[in-house]
Amino acid sequence: MNEIEKLKEIIKSSKRIVFFGGAGVSTESGIPDFRSKDGLYNQKYDYNPEEILSHSFFIDNPEYFYKFYFDKMIYQDIKPNECHKYLAKLEQDNKLLCVITQNIDNLHELAGSKRVIHLHGEVMKNHCMNCNAFYSLDELPRDGVPKCKCGGIIKPDVVLYEEPLKEEDVEMAIEEISKADTLIIGGTSLSVYPAASYVNFFKGDNLIVINRDIIGSVKANLQINASISEVFAKLKD
C-alpha cells in the first residue's frame, strides 16, 4: 500500500480529525512564507521584517508598518488550493473537528471551512485601539495609517512579535487536539513556538505529517514529504 492509499484508509477510519497547518498550506496558493530562500526574511527592506512586524514598531512607526503590511502581507486575489478544499469537504462530512492554522489569511474560510482556529490572528479583522470598533479589511484605506471615526488608530487582529497568542485560541486548539483520533500536520516545520508545542497534547491513534521537508521532531505514523495540495488532490481520486 502506497502513502496516499494508507492516508486514505486512515481518513476513512477516523471520526475526529484535526488539521494543524502552517505557511506551506498558503504558499501553494501563492502567498510567500517568511523563512524560505524566497521568503520575506530574505528580502531587503529598510528594517528587518521581524522588527517591522513587532508591537513596538507598530506603535512607534505605524505608517511604515502599514506600508509594509499592505505591500507584503495582504493578498486578496488568491484562491484556496486543493488542501483547503479537501479539508472543507471533510468538515462537511463530519469527519473534521476543526482546522488550526498559523496563517493569517482566510483561505480556509473561502474554501468553506466553518471551524477554523487562527492562532496568529487574521487579516480580515481589525479593531480600533481606542474604542474597539470593528473594521473589515475592505474598509481600511491603503494609504497612510487607518484611523477610526473616533480618531484612534486601527490595528489588524494579527499577533505581532512581542505579543502573546490569545488565550482563548490556545485553549481551544489544545482542547481540539486532545480530542482528536487523527492529527494531520501540514505545511509546517513545527519550528514556531509556542504553537508547535500544542502537538504534544495529541493522544489519538494516527499522527500524520505532510510537508515538503522531513520533520524529525515528531514520531508520525505516516510522513509524506511532498506538495500538500498535490497530496490532497490525489485523495479525491
Side-chain angles (χ1 to χ4, degrees), residues 84 87-89 91 96 99 108-116:
H84 300 105
L87 292 171
K89 179 65 166 55
E91 182 185 296
L96 184 78
V99 168
H108 286 291
E109 286 87 348
L110 283 175
S113 291
K114 305 296 183 184
R115 298 188 292 273
V116 183

Side-chain angles (χ1 to χ4, degrees), residues 5-219:
E5 292 302 320
K6 187 175 181 180
L7 180 55
K8 284 182 178 180
E9 286 299 314
I10 292 174
I11 291 175
K12 183 178 179 180
S13 63
S14 301
K15 297 180 180 179
R16 300 183 307 281
I17 301 172
V18 167
F19 181 83
F20 183 95
V25 177
S26 293
T27 55
E28 298 196 24
S29 285
I31 298 179
D33 65 3
F34 280 42
R35 293 173 174 80
S36 70
K37 64 185 179 79
D38 297 318
L40 289 179
Y41 287 177
N42 290 308
Q43 299 179 29
K44 293 184 178 180
Y45 306 101
D46 295 337
Y47 303 89
N48 184 299
E50 281 195 29
E51 181 181 359
I52 299 171
L53 296 174
S54 68
H55 178 82
S56 56
F57 190 94
F58 175 80
I59 297 300
D60 296 337
N61 199 343
E63 188 164 0
Y64 192 97
F65 169 90
Y66 265 113
K67 183 178 183 300
F68 177 89
Y69 182 75
F70 284 124
D71 187 36
K72 298 297 181 181
M73 305 294 289
I74 304 299
Y75 295 85
Q76 289 184 282
D77 296 327
I78 55 171
K79 305 294 183 184
N81 59 51
E82 294 301 329
C83 174
H84 300 105
K85 296 174 184 177
Y86 189 86
L87 292 171
K89 179 65 166 55
L90 281 182
E91 182 185 296
Q92 292 169 10
D93 293 341
N94 294 315
K95 294 183 75 70
L96 184 78
L97 293 178
C98 73
V99 168
I100 302 169
T101 180
Q102 299 175 83
N103 300 324
I104 59 176
D105 55 66
N106 70 326
L107 289 175
H108 286 291
E109 286 87 348
L110 283 175
S113 291
K114 305 296 183 184
R115 298 188 292 273
V116 183
I117 300 172
H118 286 269
L119 289 176
H120 295 157
E122 48 189 313
V123 297
M124 304 306 293
K125 297 178 180 179
N126 307 269
H127 283 86
C128 172
M129 297 180 69
N130 181 45
C131 72
N132 204 41
F134 173 83
Y135 288 84
S136 68
L137 180 61
D138 291 337
E139 293 179 281
L140 302 187
R142 293 298 191 269
D143 56 331
V145 179
K147 296 285 185 70
C148 176
K149 295 176 181 178
C150 77
I153 292 177
I154 299 171
K155 180 182 180 296
D157 285 5
V158 297
V159 179
L160 302 176
Y161 291 103
E162 305 169 351
E163 294 180 344
L165 304 186
K166 290 184 179 179
E167 188 173 336
E168 60 192 82
D169 292 332
V170 171
E171 291 175 353
M172 283 193 295
I174 291 174
E175 180 182 356
E176 295 299 321
I177 288 173
S178 65
K179 291 190 301 187
D181 58 11
T182 293
L183 176 62
I184 302 176
I185 300 170
T188 175
S189 61
L190 293 179
S191 60
V192 177
Y193 284 83
S197 65
Y198 304 156
V199 175
N200 297 327
F201 290 90
F202 177 63
K203 305 169 186 175
D205 300 320
N206 302 297
L207 180 57
I208 314 300
V209 172
I210 307 171
N211 194 54
R212 288 184 180 274
D213 300 318
I214 295 173
I215 300 178
S217 59
V218 294
K219 293 183 179 180

